[in-house]
Amino acid sequence: MTHDYDLVVIGAGSGGVRAARMAATYGAKVAIIEEFRVGGTCVIRGCVPKKLYVYASRFHDLFDVASSFGWKVEATFDWPTLVAAKEKEITRLEHGYTANLEKPGVEIIKDRAVVTGPNSVRLIAGDRELTAKYLLIATGAHPNIPNIPGAELAITSNEAFDLPALPHSILIEGGGYIAVEFATIFAGLGVHTTLVYRGDRILRSFDDDMRLGLEAGLIERGVKLIYQTTIKSMAKLGNDISATFSDGVTAHYGAVMFATGRVPNTRGLGLKTAGVELTPSGSVKADAYSQSSVPSIYAVGDVTGRAQLTPVAIREGQYFAETVFNNNRQAVDYSLIPTAVFSEPELGVIGFTETQAAAYGDVDIYLARFRPMLNTLSTRTERMILKLITEKDGGKVLGCHILGPGAAEMIQLVAIPMGMGATKADFDRTMALHPSAAEELVTFKNPSYTYRNGEKVGG
Ligand code: NDP
């Protein structure tokens, strides 16, 4: 049976774009359908603008220590300038992504698509049907909005980048990546920031020492933390929003933002009609090769709910194209994913947390806490924290956690030796680079403490 295309991709985000581009490079006839802007969440309203705003917010700390180096700085901040500069940059990237698709011949269709069968989709605005040998679902995810009265008054990360003006204060609900990153962005830009989280400490699945250190960093930057509480309702109060919490307390804020997780974009996509199996949370069930329960339909990226991270989506898209269009079956290895929270202080992690390591077996923990050199001339007391977790027998490095300046960059590089199975001895053999924070990782002598049979020893 002949089809209009070899591949139709729905969603031009990180995963979809990579898959479409690679498949076209391998000679496939490809169309990609996107209803919003080419680039997806990461480029348009995620990682890229977020990191630009993180940079903007970090000047606050830099100005703070500047005087200890002899500088006199009188700083003011202009939000519209940042928003406009961000828009210019993401537009540049959007054009770059578009050109990268067009170069190998991918057809870009600006429309909304609904899957109508194992090999067909319907374009809503264009009101026509396309057929393809393969369909790739790469529709991403959208912010979860708790079902409470007044929820429509709140913003999410989608709107936060383009607020007409900075609010005088903001309440952010959530304790994950987005909540913590935006709390530091807004606090750094001078907004009175409160974070409300249903759990007992931010970043639930992260290493406890890092959570504590980051919590202290947020408090030092003026972020007010409210734990074991949720927002129960919201109402308009003049130009502000009044929020009532689960403990009955009411307070008002210039803005309220939900950072309460992200939901896969599968609703109304026609997947069930086509026979595609979804998980209870609505993600597309995909196997190691990103194939769904319908053999001609694949899925990559956030819509699969595997790991909601851009580099993972890109790798899944690439391996999909390798497997289906280059006769080279490739499955993504999810075992060692470096990740970072671009907060202030910054957190970079890979591998086991201390708790996971203790449950895994006998391990040694190496821990360093020190003032980052940038702060040593100032009165700032914040500590940088580095933790290396190694296996007792053989010394294999099982986890590395870094809190402080440059943590993300360091963790990316630590991921290389860890992926190669490096041991503590390999780290020890490495010449230190002085003065740097990362040199601590190769100069640890004795363990700070250990775990034997699940019990903490020393420390
Ligand atoms: P996360 O899953 O990281 O955090 C969601 C938070 O919201 C959790 O603290 C969760 O609580 C809380 N929560 C969930 N539902 C509710 C609810 N109904 N009421 C109150 N609180 C709720 O999601 P994010 O939205 O922060 O980010 C989405 C994903 O995007 C991340 O998982 C990550 O993979 C990715 N991301 C990565 C970034 C990076 O790499 N730097 C940056 C931003 C996002 P609990 O802990 O109790 O479950």
Side-chain angles (χ1 to χ4, degrees), residues 51-63:
K51 186 128 183 219
L52 294 173
Y53 283 30
V54 167
Y55 281 131
S57 70
R58 283 182 179 165
F59 283 97
H60 194 282
D61 275 15
L62 288 175
F63 292 145

Side-chain angles (χ1 to χ4, degrees), residues 50 173 175-178 181 197-198 204 259-261 308-309 340:
K50 183 270 309 288
E173 176 153 41
Y177 284 85
I178 296 180
E181 290 180 343
Y197 173 45
R198 66 185 178 185
R204 179 163 51 86
T260 43
Q308 292 185 328
L309 296 166

Side-chain angles (χ1 to χ4, degrees), residues 185-215:
I185 289 172
F186 282 117
L189 298 181
V191 178
H192 292 287
T193 303
T194 304
L195 186 147
V196 58
Y197 173 45
R198 66 185 178 185
D200 61 358
R201 178 158 293 132
I202 50 163
L203 297 173
R204 179 163 51 86
S205 55
F206 285 73
D207 186 273
D208 286 337
D209 282 317
M210 304 295 142
R211 295 169 75 194
L212 264 169
L214 186 39
E215 180 187 69

Side-chain angles (χ1 to χ4, degrees), residues 41 46-47 50 141-148 157 173-182 195-206 211 229-231 258-263 302 306-311 338-343 347:
T41 298
C47 336
K50 183 270 309 288
H142 63 273
N144 167 44
I145 298 185
N147 184 16
I148 56 164
S157 57
E173 176 153 41
Y177 284 85
I178 296 180
V180 171
E181 290 180 343
F182 273 89
L195 186 147
V196 58
Y197 173 45
R198 66 185 178 185
D200 61 358
R201 178 158 293 132
I202 50 163
L203 297 173
R204 179 163 51 86
S205 55
F206 285 73
R211 295 169 75 194
T229 306
T230 55
I231 307 174
F258 287 129
T260 43
R262 293 176 61 82
V263 184
D302 289 0
R306 290 182 280 202
Q308 292 185 328
L309 296 166
T310 296
T339 173
V341 184
F342 290 99
S343 46
L347 176 58

